[in-house]
Amino acid sequence: MAGSCLFCRIVAGELSSRRVYEDDRVVAFEDIQPVAPVHVLLVPRRHLASLADLTPEDGDLAGHLLLVAARLGGELCPDGYRLLVNTGEEAGQTVGHLHLHVLGGRRLGALG
Ligand code: AMP
Ligand code: ZN
């Protein structure tokens, strides 16, 4: 599964992306179809299909994702930002590799 996963391929550098941050556990890159002036995707290097795949053993990784997302959001969107994690088809998840959207750079409307 991971071999054909779009975001695994981006993490591996097989597909190009505009990276804004990376460390040993996570990679952040610009969304290819931004819906806001700042639209960054933050993903774990390890393939996890969604939040639903997280186990208690992933607590450190989950915390790290949130901390990095908060740091990126604060740096890129000092006036405020939104974190969004679509989980499952009905929520609009289209890529089966866990990703946090970091959105900002304009006033964001209410969630629908
Ligand atoms: P979601 O709908 O929550 O699964 O979000 C998937 C996101 O991935 C969408 O916002 C897409 O625009 C974005 N996306 C799809 N392909 C790429 C790509 N090659 N590089 C960067 N972002 C992508
Ligand atoms: Zn993957």
Side-chain angles (χ1 to χ4, degrees):
M1 183 213 282
S4 61
C5 169
L6 181 66
F7 288 171
C8 281
R9 296 186 68 198
I10 285 179
V11 166
E14 294 171 15
L15 290 178
S16 67
S17 68
R18 294 171 65 155
R19 291 190 185 203
V20 299
Y21 176 81
E22 64 184 304
D23 63 28
D24 59 329
R25 285 175 286 175
V26 303
V27 176
F29 52 92
E30 292 180 2
D31 196 291
I32 203 168
Q33 285 189 296
V35 300
V38 174
H39 189 169
V40 167
L41 300 175
L42 175 65
V43 308
R45 287 186 182 273
R46 177 160 66 88
H47 181 85
L48 289 163
S50 77
L51 281 183
D53 266 15
L54 285 177
T55 69
E57 287 69 42
D58 299 316
D60 281 352
L61 176 62
H64 186 62
L65 281 165
L66 202 53
L67 287 168
V68 171
R71 196 187 323 139
L72 287 173
E75 287 173 6
L76 298 172
C77 315
D79 293 332
Y81 57 91
R82 180 175 292 166
L83 301 183
L84 188 68
V85 189
N86 294 323
T87 305
E89 195 181 336
E90 197 156 329
Q93 184 177 2
T94 60
V95 178
H97 182 129
L98 174 61
H99 50 283
L100 286 69
H101 297 256
V102 182
L103 296 160
R106 66 167 167 82
R107 183 164 291 274
L108 300 170
L111 288 178

